[in-house]
Amino acid sequence: MRKDVRILLVGEPKVGKTSLIMSLVSEEFPDEVPLRAEEITIPADVTPERVPTHIVDYSGTDTCTSLYDETHMANVICIVYSVNNKKSIEKVTLCLKLLNVLILLSCHRVPLILVGNKSDLVEHSSMETILPIMNQYSEIETCVECSAKNLKNISELFYYAQKAVLHPTGPLYSPEDKE
Ligand code: GTP
Ligand code: MG
């Protein structure tokens, strides 16, 4: 039985990583957020899978070393983009490449989740752009569109992250399969 789950959020600046965490915790959209949320721990009895869950924010202003350390400690990583920001979607691929190197160095399985935030700002879905990326990277467990502002899919997002760790569906990560 796992003793806890550690979820790390990464992504381009201003896509809403900190807002997502604060929305989950306070169940309302915060007008102002710090650059980086303090690490929070959700007690086992209020999580769907009954496992204490730590949520870790990452900010672009942090150093590369801390991304390495955080990747090393994470059980699952959410790559956040903003559905209304094309550049943040393009950067997902770059982020995947970087994380794959860091995960390889850390020698443990880390499922990834793609998170399209700010769904309140667009009519269309980003799935068409995201699906080809998903098909290319088997480490990606799932993707979800959400809105920190409308609180849409927020608890689902963190549930998917927990589930990716506790009940993985993807192949176990094996470096030999990589070129
Ligand atoms: P860095 O820490 O600088 O990397 O940014 P971040 O990814 O933590 O983003 P942050 O939470 O600071 O949000 C950036 C801006 O987007 C803020 O003005 C938020 O109010 C806004 N924002 C965040 N989530 C949403 C959302 O779901 N919808 C809308 N409309 N705005 C959002
Ligand atoms: Mg932030």
Side-chain angles (χ1 to χ4, degrees):
M1 197 52 198
R2 263 204 100 79
K3 79 177 190 325
D4 54 5
V5 169
R6 193 174 170 90
I7 304 172
L8 173 66
L9 274 76
V10 302
E12 281 294 280
K14 306 298 162 211
V15 292
K17 300 175 294 295
T18 308
S19 302
L20 283 170
I21 297 173
M22 308 289 262
S23 284
L24 175 81
V25 176
S26 58
E27 289 176 11
E28 61 182 4
F29 181 62
D31 287 327
E32 292 202 6
V33 291
L35 265 181
R36 188 177 189 177
E38 295 284 330
E39 179 180 327
I40 62 153
T41 299
I42 304 178
D45 55 342
V46 293
T47 68
E49 298 278 347
R50 309 276 170 221
V51 175
T53 300
H54 312 280
I55 303 178
V56 181
D57 194 7
Y58 185 80
S59 176
T61 50
D62 296 331
T63 63
C64 231
T65 325
S66 70
L67 182 59
Y68 172 77
D69 291 340
E70 289 300 350
T71 306
H72 199 82
M73 289 189 288
N75 302 119
V76 52
I77 302 178
C78 297
I79 302 176
V80 185
Y81 62 92
S82 169
V83 290
N84 72 333
N85 178 339
K86 222 171 143 237
K87 189 178 143 232
S88 77
I89 303 181
E90 285 162 9
K91 285 284 180 77
V92 165
T93 313
L94 197 68
C95 188
L96 278 162
K97 287 184 178 147
L98 173 62
L99 285 175
N100 268 337
V101 174
L102 295 178
I103 290 169
L104 197 68
L105 289 172
S106 78
C107 296
H108 73 305
R109 181 188 178 273
V110 187
L112 306 172
I113 294 182
L114 300 186
V115 179
N117 187 35
K118 308 197 187 182
S119 64
D120 58 287
L121 294 179
V122 295
E123 302 276 292
H124 61 274
S125 153
S126 62
M127 286 306 151
E128 223 171 88
T129 324
I130 286 301
L131 278 177
I133 304 178
M134 280 203 62
N135 291 334
Q136 211 183 330
Y137 290 86
S138 60
E139 305 83 347
I140 303 174
E141 190 79 19
T142 189
C143 61
V144 55
E145 287 189 344
C146 61
S147 164
K149 187 162 188 173
N150 288 350
L151 304 182
K152 192 177 161 223
N153 276 345
I154 302 298
S155 46
E156 285 83 353
L157 151 65
F158 290 98
Y159 174 57
Y160 296 153
Q162 244 193 14
K163 209 164 135 263
V165 180
L166 301 170
H167 312 288
T169 58
L172 288 179
Y173 185 77
S174 59
E176 308 86 71
D177 293 346
K178 301 263 141 180
E179 298 137 78

